[in-house]
């Protein structure tokens, strides 16, 4: 080949080779990461720490957090075993905030109208926070406006403060809390609420959080809103009836909802969260490089047999 032809060929090949060399690597999406996850990165819900809230529209599955609120969770287990919530209802739905359920007559002037708590305790200590040196904490790298450090403990969105040595659960979408009155220790776990709006993190360390909804949030978030200012229904017939709230361990295995949740201390969770922090899809012009604690999805799937 003549030298001039060889040079021309090199000029044609070099830009193509350069373009191929500069092509950015493809990053898997969060879904692809989850689809490829090993079985060991998932855990099956413990029936002893799982509540089934059965409504006419379907089942809400709730995971309890005894590591943060042991006395509340113990009382809730007792209330569930004795059928306290069966036949009661969701009596509050406040827009962009919470739905609340329990005995709407609990604070009635006529004490005889209130439903008995059975053998459950009538008084519990406030369990707003716990010592931080116990549970393993999977920390997010991002700055948070409500706590020095945020991340996850056993699947629950949580925060901690190294200066005080405290850790606590965060009021993210789907969080389950125990309503209280004025005094911090005025909750007994019978009146519960679920966050259905933008995360009200100002409530952190002011109310005892006892768990989170794992499946069925669409059933709660779709409940019609009550009147202003706080969403309490004015008429009993407006409430959403609760068929039953039971511990999964008290339900025959054939009637359980077999679910697995992604371990928040797993590599899969870390990679999927990073994929959401820095979205590199073709649609995104600028990856955020940041994710809010309450915007981190907690993957759930049907248990594989």
């Amino acid at each position: 080949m003549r030298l001039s032809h060889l040079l021309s060929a090199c000029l044609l090949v070099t830009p193509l080779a350069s373009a191929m060399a500069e092509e950015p690597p493809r990053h898997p999406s969060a879904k692809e990461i989850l689809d490829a996850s090993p079985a060991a990165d998932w855990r099956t819900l413990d029936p002893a720490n799982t509540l089934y809230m059965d409504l006419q529209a379907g089942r809400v599955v709730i995971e309890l957090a005894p590591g943060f609120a042991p006395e509340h969770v113990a009382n809730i287990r007792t209330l569930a075993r004795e059928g306290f919530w069966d036949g009661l209802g969701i009596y509050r739905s406040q827009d962009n905030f919470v739905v609340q359920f329990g005995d709407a007559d609990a604070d009635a002037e006529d004490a005889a109208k209130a439903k008995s708590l059975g053998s459950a305790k009538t008084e519990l200590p406030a369990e707003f926070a716990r010592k931080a040196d116990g549970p393993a904490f999977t920390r997010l790298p991002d700055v948070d406006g409500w706590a020095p450090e945020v991340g996850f403990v056993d699947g629950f969105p949580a925060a901690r403060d190294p200066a005080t040595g405290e850790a606590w659960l965060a009021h993210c979408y789907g969080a389950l809390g125990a309503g209280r009155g004025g005094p911090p220790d005025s909750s007994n776990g019978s009146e519960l609420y679920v966050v259905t709006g933008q995360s009200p993190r100002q409530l952190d360390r002011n109310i005892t959080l006892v768990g989170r909804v794992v499946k069925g949030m669409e059933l709660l978030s779709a409940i019609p809103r009550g009147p202003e200012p706080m969403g309490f229904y004015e008429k009993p017939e407006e409430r959403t009836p609760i068929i039953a709230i039971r511990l999964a361990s008290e339900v025959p295995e054939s009637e359980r909802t077999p679910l697995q949740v992604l371990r928040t201390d797993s590599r899969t969770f870390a990679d999927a969260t990073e994929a959401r922090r820095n979205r590199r899809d073709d649609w995104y012009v600028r990856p955020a490089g940041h994710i809010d604690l309450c915007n981190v999805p907690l993957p759930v799937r049907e248990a594989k047999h």
Side-chain angles (χ1 to χ4, degrees):
M1 180 181 291
R2 299 171 69 178
L3 180 59
S4 59
H5 292 168
L6 181 60
L7 289 174
S8 297
C10 289
L11 290 174
L12 290 173
V13 173
T14 301
L16 178 59
S18 177
M20 292 177 64
E22 294 175 2
E23 185 176 338
R26 182 184 179 280
H27 298 275
S29 67
K31 182 180 184 306
E32 290 171 329
I33 292 170
L34 293 174
D35 289 343
S37 62
D41 284 359
W42 296 81
R43 63 181 174 88
T44 301
L45 289 178
D46 179 359
N49 287 322
T50 303
L51 289 179
Y52 291 157
M53 180 182 190
D54 290 322
L55 309 175
Q56 292 175 346
R59 173 174 287 178
V60 179
V61 181
I62 297 167
E63 183 177 26
L64 298 173
F68 282 86
E71 296 209 36
H72 277 76
V73 168
N75 225 38
I76 287 170
R77 288 196 188 108
T78 299
L79 291 166
R81 287 192 187 100
E82 298 180 2
F84 173 78
W85 291 285
D86 300 2
L88 295 179
I90 297 172
Y91 56 76
R92 177 190 186 190
S93 178
Q94 184 173 349
D95 186 49
N96 198 33
F97 193 39
V98 301
V99 295
Q100 189 167 338
F101 55 94
D103 182 9
D105 295 321
D107 295 326
E109 293 183 4
D110 183 0
K113 291 184 177 181
K115 189 170 183 177
S116 170
L117 296 181
S119 63
K121 295 179 180 179
T122 58
E123 297 180 359
L124 296 173
E127 296 180 291
F128 299 161
R130 59 157 294 161
K131 291 183 178 179
D133 59 2
F137 189 89
T138 303
R139 184 182 176 185
L140 287 178
D142 301 297
V143 174
D144 183 81
W146 299 99
E149 298 176 357
V150 292
F152 294 86
V153 175
D154 296 333
F156 294 92
R160 68 179 180 182
D161 186 348
T164 63
E166 287 187 324
W168 58 93
L169 295 181
H171 272 80
C172 294
Y173 183 74
L176 176 73
R180 70 172 179 87
D185 59 353
S186 56
S187 167
N188 56 34
S190 64
E191 304 302 309
L192 300 173
Y193 64 89
V194 173
V195 175
T196 57
Q198 185 174 0
S199 310
R201 296 282 304 282
Q202 75 277 4
L203 298 179
D204 292 1
R205 289 186 291 178
N206 285 290
I207 301 182
T208 299
L209 286 177
V210 298
R212 67 181 179 99
V213 173
V214 174
K215 184 178 176 62
M217 271 304 297
E218 71 280 1
L219 304 179
L220 300 179
S221 60
I223 289 175
R225 304 301 187 253
E228 296 291 342
M230 298 182 68
F232 289 95
Y233 297 118
E234 296 172 347
K235 301 176 181 179
E237 58 267 27
E238 295 177 306
R239 302 168 189 161
T240 298
I242 296 173
I243 298 172
I245 294 182
R246 299 172 291 172
L247 279 168
S249 57
E250 301 286 310
V251 174
E253 192 167 354
S254 61
E255 298 176 18
R256 296 178 188 174
T257 302
L259 296 177
Q260 290 183 325
V261 293
L262 186 66
R263 298 178 61 94
T264 51
D265 58 353
S266 68
R267 179 68 189 205
T268 296
F269 181 78
D271 290 345
T273 301
E274 181 59 26
R276 293 183 181 278
R277 287 183 72 247
N278 280 296
R279 293 291 295 268
R280 297 180 175 89
D281 315 18
D282 291 340
W283 186 89
Y284 278 83
V285 178
R286 295 182 181 87
H290 177 91
I291 193 166
D292 181 79
L293 170 66
C294 292
N295 283 339
V296 178
L298 297 164
V300 181
R301 71 182 187 184
E302 292 286 333
K304 297 180 180 179
H305 299 288

